[in-house]
Amino acid sequence: PNNAHLLHGVGQLERKAGNDYTAKKYFRRAIKRDPSFPNPYHALGTLEHTHGNIRAALTVIKEGIGNCPQNHRLYHALGDVYLDANMLDLAEESYLAGLQHGPHWSKSFSYTSLSFVSYALGHTRDSRTLLRQSLEVNGGMHAQGVIALAQLEESEGDVEESREVYRDAILRYEKKRRKRSPFRSNGSKNGPKKKGGDDGSSFDTSSLVDGQGNSYTRAYAGDKWINVFKSWARMEEIHGTYETAHIVYSKAARLFPNNVDLLIQWAELQAEHGDNDRARLLYEAACHRVGGRTAE
């Protein structure tokens, strides 16, 4: 009962279960047991921020920084609260502090957040530069930065540049997933062969329904790169064609075959363009993935 790490862990479980009030109590108990442990400050502060309790969020996060002055995540969370409150100078100051204290891999998040401040100030060029800096860290494997840069280019009317940002990022991601895979993407002697061409336009129904024919490693839970695919597909539905959107969904389904939301969105695209048989197949695949939990 006196272990702050366990109390924080229970709080996280309660939050995932939707019990925010109970989660807050566990986070506060964890802080009381070990004031030098930064995680419950961050968890409680971001939870208060989510509920719009700006003053409570600021109080908790500042208390955490007072006790854990080297924790970059607390500075980042503080910056998020200030940014949401349109206190841009304080937001920038907090993100810069996080950039100073954080490890190298975390700099991509700091650059991305600083780009949001620049964009809010109307400095589009600076925002673009910061986003490109964020993609120079960790080999460009920063999903949030990819989406932000692509959407910036889209908002500026440069759809082709936005498409190029998505395309380059997805190529990096696919290469990373293939590199970790026991099967080669061109079909190894022992592994399943990839159906269709490299443009991702083929519709491999078996891989959707029974999981066969997948030449990539299984996506880990919480992989944020699914959001890159969804954002790209949304852009193609608006600014591209049915075929370009279909190709993006097809690529995404090979890498995230168990993502139900993705299958449903792909099915909606098919139905909207009159391919009811393909839409039905995708809806059935989605039901197959969720079983009896939310199949309705």
Side-chain angles (χ1 to χ4, degrees):
N2 297 321
N3 189 292
H5 291 263
L6 290 177
L7 291 168
H8 174 258
V10 175
Q12 294 285 45
L13 291 174
E14 291 289 356
R15 184 175 183 182
K16 287 181 180 179
N19 304 323
D20 288 357
Y21 178 77
T22 303
K24 289 180 183 181
K25 291 198 297 183
Y26 278 104
F27 294 144
R28 291 191 186 101
R29 286 178 60 188
I31 290 169
K32 185 177 180 180
R33 293 300 179 187
D34 185 357
S36 66
F37 181 36
N39 292 22
Y41 293 109
H42 185 274
L44 180 57
T46 54
L47 183 54
E48 295 286 11
H49 184 197
T50 299
H51 286 284
N53 302 326
I54 302 299
R55 179 174 294 182
L58 288 174
T59 298
V60 171
I61 296 170
K62 287 180 177 180
E63 180 185 351
I65 290 173
N67 289 315
C68 314
Q70 303 297 316
N71 188 271
H72 67 98
R73 295 178 70 234
L74 289 173
Y75 288 107
H76 196 279
L78 183 62
D80 287 346
V81 178
Y82 283 136
L83 181 62
D84 193 36
N86 203 35
M87 303 170 73
L88 301 181
D89 290 342
L90 291 173
E92 182 179 38
E93 181 182 321
S94 299
Y95 291 138
L96 287 172
L99 185 65
Q100 176 185 353
H101 293 292
H104 178 73
W105 62 263
S106 73
K107 295 184 186 300
S108 57
F109 295 95
S110 296
Y111 287 133
T112 299
S113 296
L114 286 166
S115 79
F116 296 155
V117 175
S118 292
Y119 192 80
L121 290 169
H123 304 156
T124 303
R125 182 177 298 180
D126 292 342
S127 179
R128 182 184 289 110
T129 299
L130 285 162
L131 287 170
R132 292 201 176 278
Q133 279 185 275
S134 78
L135 297 182
E136 292 175 1
V137 183
N138 303 325
M141 300 306 295
H142 178 47
Q144 183 189 38
V146 170
I147 294 171
L149 179 58
Q151 290 183 353
L152 175 90
E153 301 297 359
E154 180 187 356
S155 70
E156 292 294 301
D158 196 340
V159 173
E160 191 52 45
E161 182 62 29
S162 176
R163 184 177 287 123
E164 195 66 23
V165 171
Y166 285 124
R167 185 183 293 120
D168 289 348
I170 293 305
L171 285 173
R172 290 194 300 271
Y173 180 75
E174 287 180 321
K175 182 178 180 181
K176 184 178 178 67
R177 289 280 298 273
R178 284 196 299 269
K179 187 175 181 180
R180 299 201 310 264
S181 175
F183 305 121
R184 301 307 301 169
S185 61
N186 60 356
S188 66
K189 182 176 180 181
N190 298 320
K193 294 189 177 182
K194 188 177 181 180
K195 300 182 181 180
D198 290 336
D199 65 351
S201 60
S202 63
F203 183 74
D204 183 3
T205 57
S206 65
S207 69
L208 288 171
V209 176
D210 58 24
Q212 299 300 313
N214 184 4
S215 59
Y216 297 98
T217 54
R218 186 179 298 275
Y220 62 84
D223 190 335
K224 302 298 184 184
W225 279 80
I226 182 61
N227 296 323
V228 177
F229 283 97
K230 288 180 178 179
S231 182
W232 186 10
R234 175 205 55 79
M235 192 208 74
E236 294 296 348
E237 289 190 54
I238 296 172
H239 300 290
T241 65
Y242 158 78
E243 187 62 26
T244 58
H246 172 70
I247 288 172
V248 175
Y249 279 119
S250 180
K251 282 180 174 290
R254 286 189 183 135
L255 288 154
F256 299 91
N258 296 317
N259 190 282
V260 175
D261 289 341
L262 175 71
L263 295 175
I264 292 173
Q265 290 172 24
W266 193 9
E268 290 171 347
L269 174 72
Q270 307 304 327
E272 182 179 341
H273 288 270
D275 195 338
N276 293 327
D277 289 340
R278 184 172 281 173
R280 186 176 296 107
L281 177 64
L282 285 161
Y283 281 129
E284 288 174 355
C287 291
H288 177 78
R289 294 306 184 214
V290 299
R293 289 174 297 160
T294 56
E296 292 183 7

